[in-house]
Amino acid sequence: MTLPQLKRRYIVSYVIAIGLIVLVSVLSHLATLRAIDHERGSAEIVNVSGKQRMLSQRLLARVEIQSGERAKAQNSALIRSTADELEQANRLLQGRAESFPPGAVREELMALFGASGDGITALISEYVSIARASLETPATLQDRQRMEDLALGDLFVKLHRAVGLFEQHAEQGLNRISRIQVIQLLLILVILAAEAAFIFRPLLQKTLAAMSQEQETRQIAEDALQFQTETLASRSRFLAQMKATFFKPLAEAEEKLELAARADPETTPELVREARDAVMFAAKRALSLTRSYEALSHEPGQARAERPAPDEAVL
């Protein structure tokens, strides 16, 4: 695989890897927002539950005042508003409890707010009825005692338990958000590890292999170029030395043969012998140079230490 192909594959793999991380991050963010939105009203519900418990105590105090000799006009308005707030808070809390996911908290809350005679809804209804009746006629001792029993006894205990359950649900919501965030972090780390092992690591190995192959190819090309340069240089030196050591003695031999042809018969054998010696010398020098030139004709890529030096080969 060539470097351009690796580059394209690397870009595609990198885009896929980043896209996976972005997708997981977006989905994780949406899941976190959904969990936060689901738990957004938990704090408000806990406050309303605590307020409901407080309203029940306030309503008892107002009824006690209503039964005394103090001015009743302002107190009557406070009784009406407190009773309305108490019933409104009870409807809100019961509806909220019904919207909880199935579980122990929801089942216990539904049992507390149940329609049975000892449920919070029924107790508050009785409690508010006594308070409103005191607006028309002063509450009897028995009615006040019943309100006290409810406000300080069964109703108070159940309202207090409802507050604890709503707080428990809110804490579970926070723990759920924390778990979601931990899962998101682990998921992103797993994806990063998988990308490093199955995307970036193979790409890095292929990139290094391609770079090594390209470097080897470049080295072979450089060796071939150097071989060609050395061959041309040795050829030039060979031709120059052939001219100096072969053609020149041949020309001298030719010249002596011409002199022998024109000389006296007594000197002819000597000249012929000298010409023959010159030809033999030239032939030996040519053979030596030829062998030296063949030694220089090594293959491209041969180790430099194994190549004969051109000057030593031809001299």
PDB file of all heavy atoms in Angstrom, residues 196-209:
ATOM      1  N   ALA A 196      -7.792   2.935  19.309  1.00  0.00           N
ATOM      2  CA  ALA A 196      -6.330   2.872  19.350  1.00  0.00           C
ATOM      3  C   ALA A 196      -5.830   1.494  18.941  1.00  0.00           C
ATOM      4  O   ALA A 196      -4.810   1.373  18.248  1.00  0.00           O
ATOM      5  CB  ALA A 196      -5.832   3.223  20.746  1.00  0.00           C
ATOM      6  N   ALA A 197      -6.555   0.421  19.354  1.00  0.00           N
ATOM      7  CA  ALA A 197      -6.094  -0.937  19.074  1.00  0.00           C
ATOM      8  C   ALA A 197      -6.414  -1.390  17.661  1.00  0.00           C
ATOM      9  O   ALA A 197      -5.596  -2.072  17.026  1.00  0.00           O
ATOM     10  CB  ALA A 197      -6.719  -1.905  20.091  1.00  0.00           C
ATOM     11  N   PHE A 198      -7.581  -1.006  17.141  1.00  0.00           N
ATOM     12  CA  PHE A 198      -8.036  -1.558  15.871  1.00  0.00           C
ATOM     13  C   PHE A 198      -8.024  -0.565  14.713  1.00  0.00           C
ATOM     14  O   PHE A 198      -8.261  -0.965  13.570  1.00  0.00           O
ATOM     15  CB  PHE A 198      -9.457  -2.121  16.030  1.00  0.00           C
ATOM     16  CG  PHE A 198      -9.565  -3.222  17.037  1.00  0.00           C
ATOM     17  CD1 PHE A 198     -10.136  -2.987  18.280  1.00  0.00           C
ATOM     18  CD2 PHE A 198      -9.060  -4.477  16.777  1.00  0.00           C
ATOM     19  CE1 PHE A 198     -10.227  -3.992  19.224  1.00  0.00           C
ATOM     20  CE2 PHE A 198      -9.142  -5.486  17.723  1.00  0.00           C
ATOM     21  CZ  PHE A 198      -9.728  -5.245  18.945  1.00  0.00           C
ATOM     22  N   ILE A 199      -7.761   0.702  14.980  1.00  0.00           N
ATOM     23  CA  ILE A 199      -7.725   1.693  13.897  1.00  0.00           C
ATOM     24  C   ILE A 199      -6.362   2.354  13.816  1.00  0.00           C
ATOM     25  O   ILE A 199      -5.653   2.240  12.802  1.00  0.00           O
ATOM     26  CB  ILE A 199      -8.833   2.753  14.079  1.00  0.00           C
ATOM     27  CG1 ILE A 199     -10.219   2.100  13.970  1.00  0.00           C
ATOM     28  CG2 ILE A 199      -8.696   3.855  13.042  1.00  0.00           C
ATOM     29  CD1 ILE A 199     -11.373   3.066  14.155  1.00  0.00           C
ATOM     30  N   PHE A 200      -5.973   3.030  14.901  1.00  0.00           N
ATOM     31  CA  PHE A 200      -4.737   3.816  14.842  1.00  0.00           C
ATOM     32  C   PHE A 200      -3.492   2.923  14.855  1.00  0.00           C
ATOM     33  O   PHE A 200      -2.525   3.208  14.157  1.00  0.00           O
ATOM     34  CB  PHE A 200      -4.699   4.813  16.006  1.00  0.00           C
ATOM     35  CG  PHE A 200      -5.768   5.861  15.914  1.00  0.00           C
ATOM     36  CD1 PHE A 200      -6.797   5.904  16.835  1.00  0.00           C
ATOM     37  CD2 PHE A 200      -5.761   6.794  14.897  1.00  0.00           C
ATOM     38  CE1 PHE A 200      -7.786   6.869  16.746  1.00  0.00           C
ATOM     39  CE2 PHE A 200      -6.742   7.752  14.803  1.00  0.00           C
ATOM     40  CZ  PHE A 200      -7.755   7.790  15.726  1.00  0.00           C
ATOM     41  N   ARG A 201      -3.504   1.841  15.641  1.00  0.00           N
ATOM     42  CA  ARG A 201      -2.323   0.978  15.695  1.00  0.00           C
ATOM     43  C   ARG A 201      -2.049   0.303  14.354  1.00  0.00           C
ATOM     44  O   ARG A 201      -0.911   0.344  13.861  1.00  0.00           O
ATOM     45  CB  ARG A 201      -2.506  -0.066  16.803  1.00  0.00           C
ATOM     46  CG  ARG A 201      -1.320  -0.998  16.971  1.00  0.00           C
ATOM     47  CD  ARG A 201      -1.515  -1.877  18.216  1.00  0.00           C
ATOM     48  NE  ARG A 201      -0.460  -2.854  18.341  1.00  0.00           N
ATOM     49  CZ  ARG A 201      -0.508  -4.081  17.813  1.00  0.00           C
ATOM     50  NH1 ARG A 201      -1.584  -4.441  17.130  1.00  0.00           N
ATOM     51  NH2 ARG A 201       0.483  -4.925  17.961  1.00  0.00           N
ATOM     52  N   PRO A 202      -3.056  -0.339  13.688  1.00  0.00           N
ATOM     53  CA  PRO A 202      -2.770  -0.904  12.361  1.00  0.00           C
ATOM     54  C   PRO A 202      -2.354   0.154  11.342  1.00  0.00           C
ATOM     55  O   PRO A 202      -1.474  -0.097  10.513  1.00  0.00           O
ATOM     56  CB  PRO A 202      -4.105  -1.553  11.971  1.00  0.00           C
ATOM     57  CG  PRO A 202      -4.801  -1.819  13.251  1.00  0.00           C
ATOM     58  CD  PRO A 202      -4.409  -0.690  14.146  1.00  0.00           C
ATOM     59  N   LEU A 203      -2.977   1.321  11.410  1.00  0.00           N
ATOM     60  CA  LEU A 203      -2.595   2.381  10.471  1.00  0.00           C
ATOM     61  C   LEU A 203      -1.151   2.815  10.706  1.00  0.00           C
ATOM     62  O   LEU A 203      -0.399   3.050   9.754  1.00  0.00           O
ATOM     63  CB  LEU A 203      -3.538   3.572  10.620  1.00  0.00           C
ATOM     64  CG  LEU A 203      -4.875   3.466   9.888  1.00  0.00           C
ATOM     65  CD1 LEU A 203      -5.726   4.673  10.196  1.00  0.00           C
ATOM     66  CD2 LEU A 203      -4.653   3.354   8.392  1.00  0.00           C
ATOM     67  N   LEU A 204      -0.756   2.928  11.959  1.00  0.00           N
ATOM     68  CA  LEU A 204       0.619   3.312  12.263  1.00  0.00           C
ATOM     69  C   LEU A 204       1.593   2.252  11.769  1.00  0.00           C
ATOM     70  O   LEU A 204       2.640   2.583  11.182  1.00  0.00           O
ATOM     71  CB  LEU A 204       0.766   3.512  13.769  1.00  0.00           C
ATOM     72  CG  LEU A 204       2.172   3.915  14.256  1.00  0.00           C
ATOM     73  CD1 LEU A 204       2.592   5.235  13.622  1.00  0.00           C
ATOM     74  CD2 LEU A 204       2.201   4.011  15.764  1.00  0.00           C
ATOM     75  N   GLN A 205       1.264   0.978  11.973  1.00  0.00           N
ATOM     76  CA  GLN A 205       2.141  -0.086  11.497  1.00  0.00           C
ATOM     77  C   GLN A 205       2.270  -0.057   9.977  1.00  0.00           C
ATOM     78  O   GLN A 205       3.376  -0.182   9.434  1.00  0.00           O
ATOM     79  CB  GLN A 205       1.607  -1.438  11.963  1.00  0.00           C
ATOM     80  CG  GLN A 205       1.698  -1.656  13.468  1.00  0.00           C
ATOM     81  CD  GLN A 205       1.075  -2.960  13.900  1.00  0.00           C
ATOM     82  OE1 GLN A 205       0.292  -3.574  13.172  1.00  0.00           O
ATOM     83  NE2 GLN A 205       1.397  -3.393  15.110  1.00  0.00           N
ATOM     84  N   LYS A 206       1.151   0.115   9.289  1.00  0.00           N
ATOM     85  CA  LYS A 206       1.193   0.166   7.820  1.00  0.00           C
ATOM     86  C   LYS A 206       1.938   1.396   7.339  1.00  0.00           C
ATOM     87  O   LYS A 206       2.665   1.345   6.342  1.00  0.00           O
ATOM     88  CB  LYS A 206      -0.227   0.144   7.263  1.00  0.00           C
ATOM     89  CG  LYS A 206      -0.948  -1.176   7.479  1.00  0.00           C
ATOM     90  CD  LYS A 206      -2.356  -1.139   6.920  1.00  0.00           C
ATOM     91  CE  LYS A 206      -3.074  -2.469   7.150  1.00  0.00           C
ATOM     92  NZ  LYS A 206      -4.460  -2.440   6.619  1.00  0.00           N
ATOM     93  N   THR A 207       1.757   2.503   8.051  1.00  0.00           N
ATOM     94  CA  THR A 207       2.466   3.726   7.659  1.00  0.00           C
ATOM     95  C   THR A 207       3.972   3.548   7.808  1.00  0.00           C
ATOM     96  O   THR A 207       4.752   3.920   6.922  1.00  0.00           O
ATOM     97  CB  THR A 207       1.986   4.906   8.508  1.00  0.00           C
ATOM     98  OG1 THR A 207       0.578   5.070   8.340  1.00  0.00           O
ATOM     99  CG2 THR A 207       2.682   6.185   8.093  1.00  0.00           C
ATOM    100  N   LEU A 208       4.404   2.965   8.926  1.00  0.00           N
ATOM    101  CA  LEU A 208       5.832   2.732   9.134  1.00  0.00           C
ATOM    102  C   LEU A 208       6.385   1.757   8.107  1.00  0.00           C
ATOM    103  O   LEU A 208       7.498   1.941   7.591  1.00  0.00           O
ATOM    104  CB  LEU A 208       6.066   2.205  10.549  1.00  0.00           C
ATOM    105  CG  LEU A 208       5.772   3.186  11.687  1.00  0.00           C
ATOM    106  CD1 LEU A 208       5.964   2.517  13.032  1.00  0.00           C
ATOM    107  CD2 LEU A 208       6.664   4.420  11.568  1.00  0.00           C
ATOM    108  N   ALA A 209       5.593   0.689   7.786  1.00  0.00           N
ATOM    109  CA  ALA A 209       6.042  -0.264   6.766  1.00  0.00           C
ATOM    110  C   ALA A 209       6.162   0.399   5.404  1.00  0.00           C
ATOM    111  O   ALA A 209       7.134   0.168   4.666  1.00  0.00           O
ATOM    112  CB  ALA A 209       5.066  -1.442   6.703  1.00  0.00           C
TER     113      ALA A 209
END
